[in-house]
Amino acid sequence: MRKTDADGPILEIDSLSISFFTRAREIPAVMDFSLTVQPGEAVGLVGESGCGKSTVALGVMQDLGTNGRIVGGTIRFKGRDLAQLGREELRDLRGCEIAMIYQEPMASLNPAMKIGRQLMEVPMIHGGLSAKQARAMALRMLEDVRLPDPRRILNAYPHQLSGGQQQRIVIAMALMSKPSLLILDEPTTALDVTVEAGIVDLVRDLGRKYGTSMLFISHNLGLVMGVCDRVCVMYSGEAVERGSIKDVFDDMRHPYTQALFRSIPRPGADKIRHPLVAIPGNFPLPHDRPGGCNFGPRCSYFEAGRCDAQNLHMAPVPGKDRHETRCVRFREIDWNQPLQAPDRAARAQVGEVVLEMEGLRKYYEVTPNTLFGSGGKRVVKANETLSFDVREAETLAIVGESGCGKSTFAKVLMGLETATDGKITLDGREIQDKPIHKRGRALVADVQMVFQNPFDTLNPSMSVGTQIMRALEVFGIGRSDAERRARMLEMLDLVKLPRDFANRRPRQLSGGQKQRVGIARAFAGGARIVVADEPVSALDVSVQAAVADLLMDLQRERKTTLLFISHDLSIVRYLSDRVMVMYLGHVVEIGATEQVFAPPYHPYTEALLSAVPIADTHLQKTRIVLEGDIPSAMDPPPGCPFQTRCRWKDRVPGRLCERVLPPDIPLGEGHRIKCHLSADVLAEMEPVIKPAAT
Amino acid sequence: MEQLSWTGALGPWLNPAIGAAVLAFGIAAIAHMFVALLTAGQRLQHAPGTAARHSPLAYRLTRGGLSLALGALVVVALAYLVGGILLPPDQKGIIGYLSTRFLPVWIALGLTFALSFAFRRRLGLYGHLFDNPVGMIGLGLVLFWVFTAVFAEMIVTFDPVRDVLPGMKNRAPGTPLANPAQGQFDHYLLGGDMLARDVFSRMVAGARVVLAIAPAATLFAFMVGIVLGLPAGYLGGRFDSILSFAANLVMAFPVILLFFLLVTPEIVEMGVPAYMAAVLFLFPIIFLVILWNARYRTHPMRRNILVGLTFLIGGWLYLGLAWDADPLGLISIPDGVLIVFVSVVFVNSPTVFRIVRGLTLDIRTRDYVAAAQTRGEGAWYIMLWEILPNARGPLLVDFCLRIGYTTILLGTLGFFGLGLPPDSPDWGSSINAGRGLLQVFPFPPLVPAVAIMSLVLGLNLLADGLREESLKD
Amino acid sequence: MALFILRRLGVMVLTALCMTLIVFALTNLPPNLEKLAKTQAGTRITDDEVHSWLERNGYSAPILRRYGEWLGVVPASVATDAAGNVVGGRCLRGVRSTSIERVPRYCGVLQGEWGYSTKFRVPVSDLVTERLARTGVLMFWAFATMVPLALIFGVLAGMREGSVTDRTLSTISIASTSTPEYVSGVVFVVVFASSAVGLKWFTGSAKSAVNGITFENFTLPVATIALYGMGYIARMTRASMAEVMTAQYIRTARLKGVKFRDIVLRHALRNALIAPFTIVMLQFPWLLTGVVIVEALFVYPGFGDALVQGAQNNDIDLLLAVSVVAVVVVLVTQLISDIGYALLNPRIRVS
């Protein structure tokens, strides 16, 4: 393959500006952005959605689409200015020397082309290899990305593989030509946590093996820490801080970086001792940026007349290696000043049991055709014997990855589905067989839900006020429209939204604001149990904390029981009283938060904990990478549901795990796990997260 | 009186001008195509879209030339129309006379466009159309025919059905009347048909027939499709299977066979159209009643008023339209029109049903639908107030397309002489009447053919513009 | 797959049964039968004569029974005279002998008896086969012109959305979908065939095409049918192509360094043609309308012409045969479109 060799940096971006042009105006997406990637180095690019990090990547690839254009600055790859390259030269570079991996693995692979052909294409174009050689190479590459049975996979179509396998293919494809630079744009966002951990490990190892430089784009500080040597933090189109991981994570010199770290839950933090501090305000829209420092209006160190006076430039932090910040006041700010925790009421007193589940089961029958129903019916066991209870004003977190049955459980509780077997008792009434239209108005108002996707949770064609009013109407609150209107405005106050939002359409709101409306709607009827299905996972990091806090404030004030469904163990640890871990429809562990987050663990909980990316250089964790993917609920493994991926399986004698479903083992104080491991083996377990040895 | 020429006194100046404009346009188009092909490599060197800045001189030159030629063409065409109005009567050509006759349409069109353009920022999706040249042309064409239908009485020069003037059979456009009566228009502007009626007046009156039936029939088809498609998609199950089977059955019927079987005097004699109308016309009433009931079940008073009004007004219209039994004697449809109307609705409904069902299947998975379910909303509330409003974009686009398709269907019916009375001025019947002698006297069928095409083209362009603009939101 | 096809065949048979029943019911309404009797036995006959004519020819039995007779699952009723000779009835039509033993008991579709055309006075099966062959030729040429053109138009336009090529081709496609056959036919004849003002390149009638297709007599009918359908397919192809070109995997291919030509041919085309393929196949029922119009306009005695004649003369057996053929064509194309969709789209194939 024709590769240029150069001694200098692999990639040098110098004061790059990129704009998108619409008919009305020019929208600057990236401004004055500089970055250098040295050979063999992995650089992280961190920021919230819309900060321009993906645009930088596409700018490097010279693929900005029809209305994007580089309006200033240069991008040099191994010393060559990419803007000066001809079409042929550019094509020789792409895929050969610079490769890119992005978010949706399924979408990145051609659905109508076999995996093998898609992989072989790369060396055939760039290296002029024959089909046979290319095939051999593809086979080796598949082994490198640790895919089982590579021969079969070469002949498979993308849809026949799981998400994790697809992403491995995409990685293999990117590495086929041994590129000098690999750009990864949120490569794991669409994947489950345990799968994500495997991919991140793979990327790190392969990067080292081939000496590839990497530009790793992510919103997740923990992931960046795990993969990268250096990091660049972006905010609203600009780089605000740049430096080594250690410098930026431990001695940050930009208020935004600091605020970002303070708004994410860290292991060990809980809602009473280390409350999260949300960043006030909203992300500025690209055409609506403030003068001077973009972060100014949201910054607690803001000083009028200085911060908003002129455009700021990156300035080096004295005494550090290549650590720079875009803040005029970074020398004056006391960076070690402890956080002034906002006053927060103590944890609410947990009351009586309100909701009880006893041996709840939910099976689905899947039939191929309804008009001429024939052929084999298949049963999906979405929930298997769930038993637990929740008390008033308690937060129970339900944790699990996709397919674990947590959403099905929510549907059964809400009455959108009826249980196949078992009992749900709410305040002494059995409701498992009552679909929603048979529940009384009060019961419906009592059990409400907050949904995951903020862009989907509100009806786009109704104003915000109308939607809350409708909920009030349905729940029979208020005697007249005027009364309901007043109540609706109060609800807006309650979720800290301005009252004039009542007349707005959902599309005029940001994701966090929509989620607040969703919360207002759920609490409108004075709900006693609120099921929050991943309410913050689709939000930006800086907004997550604010929404989570709001949810907890409301809960505390109203003594609401909160069932918090999430896959994010950091936030779960931060806000829940008790945790329930689910896997393939089974509850594998349940207990108080401290119990679940400390050994002995259920092997799955242990793996889950280990997979959570941690953005803290003072902690280290045991790496446990689960093999394979989550089995399908249509066709679960015999015995213990987790046995196919369990690393402790061989500690149980007589292949018991493969034959018998383990019983619930009580570990005291309401903590129980579903596992065959004996007490002394459990006692051997060590904490997954430990303070780093310094 | 002498035979009118097409262009009248304007001809000597404008005819060479338009010839030159056409020639320039042709040359520019060919040149641009060549340059575009030759410079494709250079232009693609950078990301596409940066073309505007980096494209080679030749490319920009030919493109400028192309726009210039197109502009000239439009200016000359306008000059024909405006000049035609301004010329004194004795110097006008056919185009001049036609343009003058359409004066009310021009005024209405100008006013509508000026007003809409001024307030386009406040008019939602309709306003956005004025950012989209394709949509604007489409809207212009559609409005032209709408206003023509509205002002038909002012525009026609003769009675389209009764004025059968001796000696005017199959005459060429611009033929003067042999001995015009006092106050009578003195030319057949677009010639005479085989029964010696004025082709121009028939075309104008035909617009009224077509535009009275096509949009209304489409609306009814939408009512049927929505009322059945929403529950089929939302509830699914056996109900969906049966309805989908029925819809597929109707769609598998060749349209033309259905027309031949349904739209015959024998069928009308049996009262079949009335029965079909009785079923189909119920749907709008059902739709409204469910709509009000679902929305205002928490306000019984308001619901009762709305439902009552719907029953009263809807029932009255229903009796008049479907059963020809209006107690006030105001509303009725002739049998021939009714059967045409009903069969067009019948043919269109299954397709609308399929579209609505598909959209419903998509939207029902949204979280806001789940949110409505979890607060215990009824199925019909969710369908009509949570799902339907969010399907309006694609439905609106399809509505425009479907009016066009319905117009084509009406033309087909006319073309085979089905349904409407043979002397009806609608475009399909006129084509049918004239097609026998098409090769010798081309104008009688050609004029309505061009009319149909321009209306349908306008609707299709409008739909395209709407689609583009609604995707931008 | 076999199960799928079997199930589809079941639906097909059911659809065909429902459809023929509807056609049967509509053609056998009393006024229609009366009209038939009058066209067959003379327009001035009295009501009694109408009645006895219907009785004699087996039209007076209950409708479901006669539908069964047509299907061939119910023995056909026969009218006999005093001598025991068969004088009328379904099975007599087309049979020479009148002796009761020689007349078959069942003579429906299942026995291969499609009946006798009252208009053309020949067995329906002969008529329909002959007409279908003619229309098949017309359809073949229409498809052969329409589909490749439409696909090329659509792919070229969708390849680079928003370009001048795209705008030009899209405008042409919209104009073509706005031109129904009876409009384009009229315009084509005026421009290319009219003796008054036209170019006289082609003939305005396809009557002579029965004896041999020539460029002169067949171009206009083919072009007329092809034009209306072409725009629709082209627009679908364009939409599908444009969507595929913005897909992530096309970007992957581009960033792999694949040439634009190869991106279009290897990566985009197959995915982009899935949707239009379905559309092309579903065009058949639409084309039938076009065929009827074109055959009427260009005086070409094909299947469409048989349909028109049958309908205008209430030729029951002919109409039934025509509708069976139509529904079979429609359903078979649907089946092919489903199978083709599954073959083109590997995602469907497994499940």
Side-chain angles (χ1 to χ4, degrees):
Chain A
M1 293 185 203
R2 295 154 295 174
K3 294 217 171 160
T4 39
D5 284 312
D7 291 335
I10 294 287
L11 182 71
E12 258 182 300
I13 303 176
D14 186 35
S15 42
L16 175 73
S17 296
I18 299 176
S19 289
F20 288 96
F21 292 85
T22 64
R23 213 180 291 169
R25 57 176 161 246
E26 174 184 348
I27 296 172
V30 173
M31 294 156 303
D32 186 26
F33 179 87
S34 306
L35 182 83
T36 309
V37 181
Q38 298 292 347
E41 197 177 48
V43 177
L45 201 52
V46 178
E48 298 173 80
S49 57
C51 73
K53 52 191 196 300
S54 299
T55 312
V56 169
L58 293 177
V60 173
M61 295 307 284
Q62 298 280 306
D63 190 55
L64 287 165
T66 39
N67 39 19
R69 198 186 315 159
I70 295 173
V71 291
T74 53
I75 305 170
R76 289 178 179 279
F77 177 75
K78 291 185 178 173
R80 288 199 286 167
D81 185 350
L82 291 179
Q84 301 303 319
L85 294 185
R87 191 156 59 131
E88 294 290 323
E89 291 172 294
L90 194 61
R91 214 173 50 221
D92 284 342
L93 211 65
R94 288 170 170 176
C96 175
E97 297 214 61
I98 312 179
M100 186 161 174
I101 295 169
Y102 16 53
Q103 219 175 75
E104 290 276 337
M106 184 67 197
S108 312
L109 293 171
N110 190 334
M113 219 183 200
K114 284 183 180 165
I115 301 284
R117 285 201 50 81
Q118 300 194 45
L119 286 172
M120 285 153 61
E121 217 176 26
V122 181
M124 286 168 77
I125 296 169
H126 295 294
L129 263 59
S130 71
K132 208 172 165 190
Q133 289 167 306
R135 197 173 173 84
M137 197 172 160
L139 210 59
R140 278 201 305 276
M141 206 65 223
L142 286 187
E143 281 161 10
D144 266 2
V145 294
R146 299 173 211 152
L147 277 169
D149 202 357
R151 265 169 220 288
R152 183 186 61 85
I153 286 183
L154 277 187
N155 285 319
Y157 283 99
H159 66 97
Q160 292 166 312
L161 308 178
S162 71
Q165 288 175 325
Q166 285 171 357
Q167 195 60 303
R168 279 166 199 264
I169 299 287
V170 174
I171 292 171
M173 195 155 73
L175 291 175
M176 278 301 272
S177 60
K178 312 276 188 300
S180 316
L181 177 66
L182 182 61
I183 301 176
L184 302 106
D185 188 358
E186 305 261 11
T188 55
T189 314
L191 305 173
D192 276 317
V193 206
T194 52
V195 181
E196 173 183 79
I199 298 279
V200 168
D201 266 14
L202 178 75
V203 165
R204 191 174 37 215
D205 294 352
L206 287 180
R208 276 187 202 136
K209 181 173 172 188
Y210 295 120
T212 312
S213 303
M214 281 192 276
L215 185 61
F216 188 93
I217 297 168
S218 181
H219 66 279
N220 190 322
L221 291 164
L223 278 183
V224 168
M225 193 186 107
V227 177
C228 302
D229 310 308
R230 299 172 53 75
V231 64
C232 171
V233 182
M234 281 187 85
Y235 180 77
S236 191
E238 291 177 332
V240 292
E241 186 165 5
R242 231 184 350 242
S244 68
I245 290 279
K246 186 123 187 63
D247 287 343
V248 174
F249 277 49
D250 295 344
D251 294 313
M252 65 271 291
R253 285 293 176 268
H254 194 280
Y256 173 65
T257 317
Q258 190 185 41
L260 204 57
F261 274 97
R262 286 183 174 170
S263 66
I264 54 169
R266 305 214 209 172
D270 74 27
K271 59 184 165 186
I272 305 302
R273 273 168 291 158
H274 300 280
L276 298 184
V277 184
I279 305 177
N282 279 306
F283 205 78
L285 294 172
H287 54 268
D288 202 20
R289 294 194 175 108
C293 178
N294 279 342
F295 188 59
R298 302 174 73 187
C299 180
S300 51
Y301 305 109
F302 180 73
E303 190 183 318
R306 274 183 75 200
C307 292
D308 54 0
Q310 79 277 335
N311 277 334
L312 307 180
H313 298 282
M314 293 298 264
V317 178
K320 293 284 174 63
D321 172 38
R322 291 186 286 157
H323 185 189
E324 291 163 281
T325 173
R326 196 187 291 267
C327 176
V328 274
R329 300 194 59 211
F330 80 93
R331 273 174 252 261
E332 313 150 24
I333 296 169
D334 177 8
W335 292 100
N336 294 319
Q337 189 187 21
L339 184 61
Q340 285 187 344
D343 285 339
R344 207 170 281 276
R347 184 171 291 204
Q349 200 58 46
V350 171
E352 293 296 301
V353 170
V354 280
L355 180 72
E356 227 176 323
M357 302 264 164
E358 216 181 301
L360 181 78
R361 273 174 221 261
K362 177 66 192 172
Y363 293 174
Y364 288 103
E365 274 184 1
V366 188
T367 44
N369 186 311
T370 40
L371 187 63
F372 300 96
S374 65
K377 279 184 187 171
R378 300 178 74 182
V379 175
V380 178
K381 297 176 178 174
N383 283 158
E384 278 279 20
T385 52
L386 300 190
S387 301
F388 64 92
D389 48 34
V390 211
R391 293 163 184 277
E392 188 185 62
E394 187 181 40
T395 305
L396 173 70
I398 300 166
V399 178
E401 297 174 277
S402 54
C404 73
K406 50 193 181 176
S407 304
T408 307
F409 150 75
K411 275 186 189 159
V412 175
L413 176 61
M414 303 301 301
L416 299 181
E417 309 267 357
T418 51
T420 310
D421 195 13
K423 266 200 266 186
I424 305 177
T425 322
L426 177 72
D427 292 331
R429 285 171 295 177
E430 285 187 16
I431 57 168
Q432 70 275 8
D433 293 329
K434 274 195 192 161
I436 188 127
H437 55 265
K438 284 193 187 148
R439 297 184 176 186
R441 188 192 262 178
L443 182 55
V444 169
D446 271 354
V447 190
Q448 279 297 297
M449 187 155 174
V450 178
F451 294 87
Q452 174 177 13
N453 187 349
F455 299 97
D456 224 27
T457 190
L458 300 180
N459 185 339
S461 40
M462 263 191 217
S463 74
V464 166
T466 319
Q467 303 198 36
I468 300 177
M469 297 246 292
R470 178 70 193 180
L472 293 170
E473 262 172 42
V474 170
F475 297 144
I477 290 169
R479 265 158 304 174
S480 64
D481 275 355
E483 224 171 278
R484 275 190 286 268
R485 195 168 173 76
R487 184 96 185 95
M488 178 268 291
L489 293 174
E490 280 168 32
M491 291 304 298
L492 285 181
D493 295 344
L494 203 63
V495 294
K496 303 193 179 76
L497 287 176
R499 286 191 165 201
D500 63 327
F501 271 38
N503 297 322
R504 294 214 188 167
R505 295 280 159 143
R507 68 181 142 87
Q508 297 167 291
L509 270 57
S510 71
Q513 290 165 339
K514 282 183 208 175
Q515 209 56 323
R516 283 166 190 269
V517 177
I519 292 171
R521 190 177 54 189
F523 279 89
R528 302 191 46 225
I529 296 176
V530 169
V531 181
D533 186 2
E534 309 251 11
V536 296
S537 63
L539 300 178
D540 272 322
V541 189
S542 68
V543 185
Q544 280 191 1
V547 173
D549 276 345
L550 171 72
L551 208 53
M552 288 190 310
D553 286 345
L554 280 174
Q555 181 208 11
R556 195 166 35 236
E557 270 168 40
R558 309 181 155 223
K559 288 187 170 289
T560 316
T561 303
L562 188 64
L563 296 181
F564 189 88
I565 300 177
S566 179
H567 68 276
D568 181 351
L569 285 177
S570 316
I571 196 122
V572 161
R573 176 158 201 181
Y574 172 67
L575 56 70
S576 61
D577 301 313
R578 284 202 301 149
V579 178
M580 176 165 107
V581 183
M582 289 181 74
Y583 188 80
L584 276 186
H586 293 268
V587 177
V588 294
E589 179 162 5
I590 186 169
T593 309
E594 308 79 56
Q595 295 168 336
V596 173
F597 280 77
Y601 308 106
H602 184 278
Y604 176 62
T605 316
E606 184 192 29
L608 212 50
L609 269 173
S610 151
V612 178
I614 297 172
D616 193 332
T617 53
H618 304 294
L619 294 175
Q620 68 169 32
K621 60 182 182 187
T622 323
R623 271 175 52 196
I624 303 163
V625 174
L626 290 184
E627 292 303 319
D629 292 293
I630 304 169
S632 148
M634 201 98 94
D635 174 26
C640 173
F642 188 58
Q643 51 108 342
T644 52
R645 302 168 80 198
C646 183
R647 68 167 187 153
W648 295 87
K649 196 167 92 175
D650 46 1
R651 304 291 298 271
V652 176
R655 296 181 155 261
L656 201 58
C657 299
E658 288 167 27
R659 290 183 285 114
V660 183
L661 181 69
D664 279 340
I665 304 174
L667 296 173
E669 295 168 55
H671 185 200
R672 55 179 210 260
I673 63 174
K674 200 185 267 305
C675 190
H676 285 304
L677 285 177
S678 60
D680 42 329
V681 177
L682 287 175
E684 275 176 40
M685 284 190 177
E686 289 185 359
V688 172
I689 300 167
K690 283 178 291 208
T694 37
Chain B
M1 282 292 152
E2 54 192 292
Q3 183 84 17
L4 286 179
S5 71
W6 280 96
T7 49
L10 290 173
W13 290 287
L14 289 182
N15 289 355
I18 200 139
V22 168
L23 196 68
F25 183 74
I27 292 173
I30 293 170
H32 183 68
M33 221 159 69
F34 267 105
V35 173
L37 278 178
L38 288 177
T39 60
Q42 293 172 54
R43 279 183 298 125
L44 278 173
Q45 188 170 339
H46 306 276
T50 53
R53 250 194 198 173
H54 302 279
S55 52
L57 183 68
Y59 181 81
R60 277 182 285 161
L61 221 66
T62 48
R63 202 169 55 173
L66 193 65
S67 334
L68 218 65
L70 191 66
L73 209 59
V74 173
V75 167
V76 180
L78 277 176
Y80 273 117
L81 295 176
V82 178
I85 298 173
L86 297 178
L87 280 180
D90 55 330
Q91 292 181 20
K92 282 188 215 255
I94 297 175
I95 295 177
Y97 272 114
L98 289 177
S99 181
T100 316
R101 294 307 300 181
F102 278 118
L103 201 56
V105 174
W106 303 136
I107 293 171
L109 209 55
L111 275 179
T112 317
F113 265 72
L115 282 176
S116 310
F117 195 76
F119 296 105
R120 69 185 188 282
R121 291 286 160 251
R122 276 190 260 158
L123 291 170
L125 185 57
Y126 169 73
H128 283 301
L129 266 183
F130 291 86
D131 295 334
N132 186 312
V134 168
M136 243 156 74
I137 295 174
L139 185 69
L141 278 172
V142 173
L143 283 181
F144 172 82
W145 286 112
V146 170
F147 289 130
T148 302
V150 171
F151 300 118
E153 272 112 7
M154 297 164 71
I155 299 169
V156 292
T157 47
F158 295 92
D159 186 296
V161 179
R162 269 168 296 165
D163 274 341
V164 178
L165 302 186
M168 297 305 287
K169 189 169 150 187
N170 287 332
R171 299 306 287 267
T175 307
L177 262 58
N179 30 16
Q182 189 63 34
Q184 198 172 20
F185 197 79
D186 47 13
H187 288 91
Y188 267 17
L189 286 176
L190 292 177
D193 69 4
M194 60 181 296
L195 292 174
R197 294 167 301 194
D198 181 29
V199 171
F200 170 68
S201 301
R202 285 180 66 77
M203 174 194 75
V204 172
R208 178 169 276 192
V209 178
V210 170
L211 283 166
I213 299 178
T218 312
L219 191 68
F220 272 80
F222 264 74
M223 289 290 166
V224 177
I226 287 171
V227 169
L228 297 178
L230 280 174
Y234 183 72
L235 303 172
R238 192 130 300 198
F239 180 73
D240 177 31
S241 305
I242 293 168
L243 275 184
S244 292
F245 178 76
N248 286 336
L249 182 67
V250 178
M251 282 195 289
F253 244 110
V255 174
I256 196 79
L257 177 64
L258 203 63
F259 280 164
F260 267 115
L261 293 175
L262 274 181
V263 192
T264 62
E266 287 78 23
I267 297 277
V268 178
E269 195 183 312
M270 286 294 289
V272 174
Y275 295 125
M276 287 177 70
V279 176
L280 293 175
F281 289 6
L282 264 182
F283 281 93
I285 302 179
I286 298 175
F287 176 78
L288 283 175
V289 169
I290 302 172
L291 189 77
W292 302 135
N293 186 43
R295 177 69 182 82
Y296 294 110
R297 90 185 142 92
T298 48
H299 297 73
M301 206 43 222
R302 203 177 301 171
R303 174 193 62 187
N304 293 346
I305 293 173
L306 283 168
V307 169
L309 277 177
T310 307
F311 271 127
L312 207 68
I313 299 173
W316 173 51
L317 290 172
Y318 178 72
L319 282 179
L321 294 177
W323 295 108
D324 201 6
D326 174 16
L328 304 178
L330 290 175
I331 299 167
S332 73
I333 315 185
D335 272 348
V337 179
L338 186 68
I339 182 68
V340 167
F341 191 90
V342 166
S343 41
V344 171
V345 172
F346 186 72
V347 167
N348 271 316
S349 307
T351 328
V352 181
F353 165 84
R354 280 254 295 238
I355 294 170
V356 175
R357 179 178 169 272
L359 288 168
T360 309
L361 280 175
D362 175 29
I363 298 177
R364 65 180 275 209
T365 58
R366 302 296 166 91
D367 279 349
Y368 52 82
V369 173
Q373 287 170 337
T374 55
R375 61 169 190 263
E377 298 281 9
W380 278 107
Y381 176 87
I382 293 174
M383 286 181 235
L384 291 173
W385 293 96
E386 303 279 347
I387 293 177
L388 188 58
N390 295 307
R392 69 180 187 276
L395 286 184
L396 189 68
V397 170
D398 187 68
F399 188 71
C400 284
L401 287 176
R402 203 149 291 282
I403 297 179
Y405 179 58
T406 310
T407 309
I408 291 178
L409 282 184
L410 286 177
T412 311
L413 281 170
F415 182 80
F416 286 109
L418 296 169
L420 296 168
D423 60 353
S424 154
D426 76 284
W427 298 334
S429 306
S430 302
I431 296 177
N432 183 31
R435 71 180 155 115
L437 293 171
L438 175 62
Q439 301 205 34
V440 200
F441 306 112
F443 277 93
L446 192 61
V447 170
V450 172
I452 289 198
M453 200 205 137
S454 62
L455 174 60
V456 178
L457 181 65
L459 285 161
N460 285 350
L461 291 176
L462 179 63
D464 216 48
L466 282 175
R467 186 193 347 252
E468 265 182 38
E469 290 303 315
S470 68
L471 283 181
K472 275 187 197 163
D473 266 353
Chain C
M1 198 65 180
L3 191 74
F4 167 79
I5 293 176
L6 215 65
R7 195 154 57 210
R8 287 301 301 262
L9 284 174
V11 178
M12 247 170 89
V13 171
L14 191 64
T15 313
L17 282 178
C18 290
M19 232 173 102
T20 44
L21 184 61
I22 294 170
V23 175
F24 199 86
L26 285 172
T27 45
N28 281 285
L29 288 173
N32 277 332
L33 289 178
E34 193 178 321
K35 184 175 153 198
L36 179 68
K38 284 182 175 169
T39 47
Q40 292 300 308
T43 36
R44 299 191 179 281
I45 56 174
T46 62
D47 285 356
D48 281 346
E49 282 167 317
V50 167
H51 188 75
S52 66
W53 187 89
L54 291 177
E55 187 94 1
R56 195 168 62 244
N57 287 288
Y59 288 110
S60 54
I63 193 152
L64 273 179
R65 184 189 154 83
R66 277 190 295 126
Y67 180 67
E69 289 175 13
W70 177 80
L71 273 182
V73 292
V74 175
S77 58
V78 283
T80 45
D81 61 7
N85 284 333
V86 180
V87 290
R90 179 178 175 81
C91 294
L92 190 66
R93 283 170 246 154
V95 179
R96 293 260 155 78
S97 164
T98 54
S99 109
I100 192 126
E101 295 80 31
R102 304 285 296 276
V103 177
R105 289 194 63 219
Y106 293 92
C107 48
V109 173
L110 287 179
Q111 286 76 36
E113 279 292 330
W114 288 87
Y116 193 76
S117 163
T118 47
K119 158 76 185 167
F120 294 96
R121 303 190 184 277
V122 285
V124 165
S125 43
D126 299 354
L127 182 76
V128 169
T129 340
E130 183 196 37
R131 294 301 185 93
L132 257 183
R134 285 183 197 151
T135 299
V137 175
L138 183 61
M139 289 277 240
F140 169 78
W141 285 109
F143 255 68
T145 344
M146 174 173 84
V147 175
L149 259 182
L151 293 184
I152 291 170
F153 267 44
V155 169
L156 285 180
M159 199 165 78
R160 292 209 185 96
E161 216 184 339
S163 65
V164 179
T165 323
D166 175 25
R167 298 224 171 267
T168 318
L169 292 179
S170 295
T171 313
I172 295 175
S173 309
I174 293 186
S176 122
T177 44
S178 316
T179 317
E181 293 88 352
Y182 49 87
V183 169
S184 52
V186 164
V187 174
F188 281 161
V189 170
V190 169
V191 173
F192 295 112
S194 152
S195 52
V197 289
L199 297 165
K200 285 187 247 180
W201 289 355
F202 308 109
T203 57
S205 152
K207 211 168 194 168
S208 56
V210 176
N211 304 319
I213 295 165
T214 63
F215 191 63
E216 258 199 326
N217 62 24
F218 224 50
T219 305
L220 288 186
V222 167
T224 305
I225 296 182
L227 186 73
Y228 184 44
M230 191 200 81
Y232 187 64
I233 301 176
R235 278 163 65 71
M236 288 298 156
T237 315
R238 175 192 173 272
S240 167
M241 187 72 189
E243 194 190 320
V244 166
M245 286 306 280
T246 58
Q248 191 84 270
Y249 56 84
I250 295 297
R251 171 173 273 175
T252 311
R254 201 164 55 228
L255 298 190
K256 264 200 289 197
V258 182
K259 284 189 196 135
F260 186 73
R261 200 194 55 196
D262 287 345
I263 289 180
V264 171
L265 292 179
R266 289 215 200 125
H267 287 264
L269 211 55
R270 178 162 169 195
N271 290 297
L273 288 184
I274 294 172
F277 178 79
T278 327
I279 304 284
V280 169
M281 282 300 152
L282 297 182
Q283 280 289 298
F284 272 98
W286 287 50
L287 276 183
L288 187 65
T289 311
V291 164
V292 175
I293 293 173
V294 164
E295 287 182 2
L297 196 64
F298 291 95
V299 210
Y300 183 69
F303 183 73
D305 179 65
L307 191 155
V308 175
Q309 300 292 343
Q312 281 169 351
N313 297 285
N314 203 44
D315 192 337
I316 298 173
D317 283 344
L318 178 58
L319 269 181
L320 284 169
V322 163
S323 47
V324 168
V325 170
V327 78
V328 166
V329 168
V330 167
L331 296 176
V332 165
T333 49
Q334 271 177 14
L335 186 69
I336 294 176
S337 116
D338 283 352
I339 295 172
Y341 182 75
L343 286 180
L344 277 173
N345 192 348
R347 260 175 291 188
I348 306 288
R349 207 185 301 170
V350 200
S351 52

